[in-house]
Amino acid sequence: MKKGTTLVLARYSLIGIFLIWILIPMGWVVLLSTKSTIDIFAFPPRIFSRPTLEHYIHVFTKYNFDQYFLNSIIIGAGTLIVSMVVGTLGGYAFARFRFSHKEKIALLVLMSRMVPPITLVLPLYIIMMKLGLLGTYWAVIIAHTSFNLAFVCWMMRAFFEEVPVEIEESAMIDGCSRIGALIRVTLPIVSPGISASAILCLLVSWNEFLFALVLTSTRTRTLPVGIASFSGAVSVNWGASMAAATAAMIPMIVVGLIIQKYLIRGLTMGAVKG
Amino acid sequence: MKKKKFLNYQTGERIFLYLLLLPLITIISIILIFPLGYSFFLSLFSWDLFSMGKEKIFIFLLHYRNALVDRYFLKSIQNTLLFLGGAVSIELGLGFAIALLLLGKLPCQKVINSIILIPMIMAHTIVALIWKFVYDSSFGIFRLFLRTIGLDKEIGWLTDKSIALLSVIIVEIWQSTPFVILVLFAGLCIVPINPIEAAKIDGASYSQIVRYIFLPFLKPLILFVLLLRTIDAYKIFDLIYVLTRGGPGMTTESISMYAYKTGFIKCNMGYAMALSVIIFVIVLAVSLLYIFFLGKQKS
């Protein structure tokens, strides 16, 4: 069975190499973020040295990171609420009703996902400026909603289509109104779809950069934009930058791991259903 | 009994239908269609950001004609295509290979799946910042590695014109291969067992099984992933902004980056809008082509 063992070993090694490749950049940054600046630049590299939180304190006080976190949460929540409510209702309409030009409108909705951000951000900047909304939360919430809506609508339509019409009709025979049937009977059934859509919606908004870059002010700046600000100058404060990167990375990773199941379902659903 | 797909409704209930759809259509029209139209309209003028459009000069399609001969725009297209080609092809190849390797029993399955998922869920800017340190020519990981083995050589991963684009491609591959792995692995899991068993009985080798069973079955999925990755790579901005801001001498400037700089840094808004319209039209054409192609597949 020598050939068998060699193959198994090879398989494990290759997967292992890939995993190491993924982990090293992140691990290195996390490790260095806990070292004092002297230790960061020491050679030969000191892996074990006195850990310090000075960079993190720096990042959260001098660099306003707590504000960036808060802004991302506010904008994410706003986008989530609008996109989910409007998108779910729209998805229901597409799933349940026949109406003229239905597929054409559906295609239009899908296309909103294809628009490159740069094409949208230029006019939105001008529009927001004229409306006096530049630098407010609403500007970014509106921008993020514009491409999340189609996605939510598309996903919820697919989930609604899986629910047999008879269930709603029997609820209505039992005395429910149309809306009542939707809320009390259908929504609970598609709740996995709602979770998956909501999570992906929030993730996209949280990580979004271009719209946030252009439409926010220093007061409403989001996390990705805050992170990018560490990349500009020639002489970069390494310790602070690494602490910033880690501080932004860890919550994402933790949350991501918790919601893995929904994430995977959401991402592959679009693929497998075609 | 034929499965009923749609609800019966009386005329009065059409109002309900419109109530459901109205917010969606209205919002999309306002947030999407209007800005696009507005952008196209404004691209017919020559104007800059300072005057805020008060000194607009109508020049019809002149911006578009200029774009076709703009050396820098063409260079950014070349960069984007190189980036796209390099990144997507390797992501697909590597992703498929890893998905194949993951097929079957593995120790610590959950941990492995979790690790693979991580790069995908992180913001592009964070990934870029991390790799910016990794690539640092004085203190980055590679330099440390080289120094430890005695080679005191500095490689300007992000500052050397000849390899900057390659460095950016590597970061993109690092971040996006997990998505390909995820989707293709899910596809591989639902390949029907029977053909595989039959092939094994007939003495087929592993590579034959891959070529003649897995690949054809996965074809629509592969096309789907190909389209998605292509469109995403085409739109690339975040990574480049943080890593190189357009790179040493325009070597990593993507089309989105070029349009962004034209509009917000050089303040030539009319031209920037024309560029962004061109960018949109191209991706629209590709997507329609794909849908057409997919339609032919099904019949």
Side-chain angles (χ1 to χ4, degrees), chain B:
Chain B
M1 190 180 93
K2 192 174 141 194
K3 182 177 172 197
K4 206 151 55 147
K5 271 195 82 185
F6 302 107
L7 288 172
N8 298 320
Y9 56 93
Q10 298 92 31
T11 336
E13 288 185 312
R14 270 194 101 86
I15 299 178
F16 181 60
L17 168 66
Y18 292 140
L19 266 169
L20 285 179
L21 275 183
L22 203 64
L24 179 70
I25 306 288
T26 322
I27 294 184
I28 290 205
S29 308
I30 297 178
I31 293 178
L32 200 73
I33 301 187
F34 174 64
L36 285 177
Y38 192 45
S39 184
F40 178 68
F41 171 68
L42 286 178
S43 72
L44 302 175
F45 294 79
S46 167
W47 61 291
D48 62 71
L49 201 51
F50 294 120
S51 66
M52 256 319 293
K54 293 211 179 69
E55 291 157 20
K56 285 207 289 273
I57 310 170
F58 184 71
I59 57 167
F60 200 45
L61 296 174
L62 198 61
H63 279 315
Y64 293 91
R65 206 210 64 172
N66 289 342
L68 291 176
V69 296
D70 182 353
R71 261 177 44 230
Y72 299 114
F73 183 50
L74 293 173
K75 172 86 172 122
S76 72
I77 292 180
Q78 182 192 359
N79 291 337
T80 307
L81 286 176
L82 278 172
F83 173 80
L84 208 152
V88 176
S89 57
I90 297 183
E91 279 167 26
L92 275 182
L94 184 64
F96 185 61
I98 304 279
L100 282 176
L101 285 175
L102 290 174
L103 209 58
K105 287 207 196 73
L106 274 179
C108 321
Q109 184 99 36
K110 282 216 169 101
V111 174
I112 294 178
N113 291 344
S114 307
I115 294 179
I116 293 184
L117 205 60
I118 293 176
M120 202 165 53
I121 58 180
M122 296 213 289
H124 292 293
T125 52
I126 297 184
V127 171
L129 190 63
I130 292 174
W131 275 88
K132 202 164 171 144
F133 291 119
V134 170
Y135 277 144
D136 185 277
S137 46
S138 306
F139 301 105
I141 290 184
F142 296 110
R143 181 91 206 284
L144 286 180
F145 176 67
L146 286 174
R147 278 172 88 180
T148 5
I149 59 174
L151 278 173
D152 205 7
K153 194 165 180 239
E154 273 196 27
I155 307 180
W157 295 94
L158 295 175
T159 49
D160 185 338
K161 281 190 191 176
S162 45
I163 54 177
L165 190 59
L166 179 67
S167 309
V168 176
I169 291 178
I170 291 176
V171 180
E172 170 68 13
I173 292 173
W174 184 90
Q175 175 156 38
S176 301
T177 307
F179 174 70
V180 179
I181 296 176
L182 183 71
V183 174
L184 291 184
F185 181 71
L188 281 173
C189 284
I190 57 177
V191 173
I193 290 279
N194 293 335
I196 303 177
E197 298 288 315
K200 277 192 193 162
I201 291 174
D202 286 343
S205 71
Y206 184 67
S207 58
Q208 281 176 322
I209 294 181
V210 169
R211 256 185 81 195
Y212 296 112
I213 300 182
F214 285 157
L215 280 179
F217 187 79
L218 287 179
K219 195 160 157 201
L221 216 57
I222 293 179
L223 282 174
F224 175 76
V225 170
L226 184 68
L227 177 77
L228 237 55
R229 288 307 320 143
T230 302
I231 293 183
D232 278 348
Y234 180 75
K235 296 193 265 184
I236 188 84
F237 179 84
D238 310 4
L239 272 185
I240 297 180
Y241 184 89
V242 173
L243 280 173
T244 59
R245 286 282 200 294
M250 267 209 92
T251 44
T252 60
E253 188 129 329
S254 67
I255 45 184
S256 292
M257 178 65 90
Y258 183 63
Y260 170 81
K261 284 186 179 174
T262 309
F264 289 109
I265 298 186
K266 291 192 232 156
C267 296
N268 188 351
M269 281 303 245
Y271 186 45
M273 288 184 169
L275 290 175
S276 70
V277 168
I278 295 177
I279 294 174
F280 175 47
V281 166
I282 295 178
V283 80
L284 199 64
V286 170
S287 309
L288 288 175
L289 241 149
Y290 169 79
I291 294 174
F292 174 70
F293 204 59
L294 196 68
K296 273 195 139 183
Q297 282 272 318
K298 286 195 172 157
S299 62

Side-chain angles (χ1 to χ4, degrees), chain A residues 85-102:
Chain A
V85 169
V86 178
T88 307
L89 290 179
Y92 183 72
F94 275 108
R96 285 285 183 257
F97 294 94
R98 261 183 306 233
F99 50 94
S100 54
H101 308 300
K102 178 171 165 186

